[in-house]
């Protein structure tokens, strides 16, 4: 079973990402050590899409460098 969108948000916030807002169900997260921002769409209780999970994992790893 895939993780929920709120779980990905929590993972990003633990890694030091900051929510800079967005339109509708979209949220943009930025981090000073990561070149691109991460966009998550969907309601917090929705299942995360496979590309969202992959993007969060890559961004968290890049933030540790």
């Amino acid at each position: 079973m895939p993780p929920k969108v709120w779980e990905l948000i929590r993972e990003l916030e633990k890694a030091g990402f900051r929510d800079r807002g967005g339109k509708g169900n979209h949220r943009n997260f930025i981090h000073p050590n990561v070149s691109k921002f991460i966009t998550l769409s969907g309601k917090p209780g929705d299942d995360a899409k496979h590309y969202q999970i992959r993007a969060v994992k890559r961004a968290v790893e890049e933030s540790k460098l």
Side-chain angles (χ1 to χ4, degrees):
M1 189 159 186
K4 301 292 182 183
V5 172
W6 67 265
E7 292 175 295
L8 297 181
I9 293 170
R10 184 175 57 188
E11 194 173 327
L12 285 171
E13 289 174 344
K14 279 185 182 178
F17 283 80
R18 195 170 50 89
D19 186 358
R20 58 173 267 223
K23 287 188 170 184
N25 288 336
H26 289 74
R27 289 163 218 80
N28 297 307
F29 291 88
I30 58 173
H31 191 280
N33 298 338
V34 179
S35 57
K36 292 184 176 183
F37 59 87
I38 304 300
T39 301
L40 291 179
S41 61
K43 296 177 185 175
D46 290 347
D47 288 341
K49 308 278 191 264
H50 68 282
Y51 63 87
Q52 293 173 322
I53 298 166
R54 190 170 53 234
V56 168
K57 285 182 181 178
R58 286 182 184 162
V60 169
E61 287 181 17
E62 187 178 339
S63 72
K64 293 178 182 176
L65 298 177

